[in-house]
Amino acid sequence: MPVRPDRRRLLAAIHAEAKALGLDEDTRRALQQRVGGHASCAAMSDRQLRDVLAELRRLAGKPAQPPRHADDRARLLWRIERDCAAAGYPHPAYPLGISRKMFGALSPARLEWHAPRQLRALIAALAYDAKRRPRPAGGAA
């Protein structure tokens, strides 16, 4: 059975991190057994592989995940504004209303104060709405 590309990347990253740390095969397999529950990467689930990779990166002093770009939030805000304009909804009142329904008391008062994961959820909600209510082509209503 062929190995999925994302799994292949995980396996390659584990072996590269272990080599960068200077671990021999026995030490690497002991770490895999301790963290992932199996000495062989082939027997691990994707979640276990990610745990092993996170442990190797922790030992190397690297962050577990690369930091997001600073412009990520600006791009997400722009996308929300674009989707509202395409659907004819008032911006920012409409996405803030959706936010209040989705996040309740955790909903920030302004779109700029939302976390990136909340902004992604708003984009998904607007995309779902666009599928439910298709707009006529050409912009004439």
Side-chain angles (χ1 to χ4, degrees), residues 80 83-84 89 94-95 98 121-131:
I80 289 172
D83 291 350
C84 284
Y89 295 134
Y94 188 76
I98 293 174
L122 287 172
I123 289 170
L126 289 169
Y128 179 80
D129 180 65
K131 285 182 185 177

Side-chain angles (χ1 to χ4, degrees), residues 67-77 79-80 102-103 108 110-124:
R68 291 222 176 243
H69 298 290
D71 63 340
D72 189 35
R73 189 181 309 240
R75 182 181 55 84
L76 295 171
L77 289 168
R79 192 157 166 205
I80 289 172
M102 289 173 71
F103 308 119
R110 297 181 57 139
L111 280 178
E112 295 83 12
W113 297 345
H114 282 70
R117 74 171 172 76
Q118 291 174 319
L119 294 173
R120 285 187 199 91
L122 287 172
I123 289 170

Side-chain angles (χ1 to χ4, degrees), residues 24-39:
D24 63 347
E25 184 176 351
D26 292 335
T27 307
R28 178 182 51 82
R29 287 183 180 273
L31 181 130
Q32 289 172 187
Q33 180 68 41
R34 179 177 55 86
V35 176
H38 300 283

Side-chain angles (χ1 to χ4, degrees), residues 14 18 21 23-39 44 48 51-59:
I14 286 171
L21 283 171
L23 302 180
D24 63 347
E25 184 176 351
D26 292 335
T27 307
R28 178 182 51 82
R29 287 183 180 273
L31 181 130
Q32 289 172 187
Q33 180 68 41
R34 179 177 55 86
V35 176
H38 300 283
M44 291 187 206
Q48 290 168 325
D51 291 343
V52 169
L53 182 59
E55 178 66 11
L56 286 168
R57 287 183 174 164
R58 185 191 69 79
L59 292 172

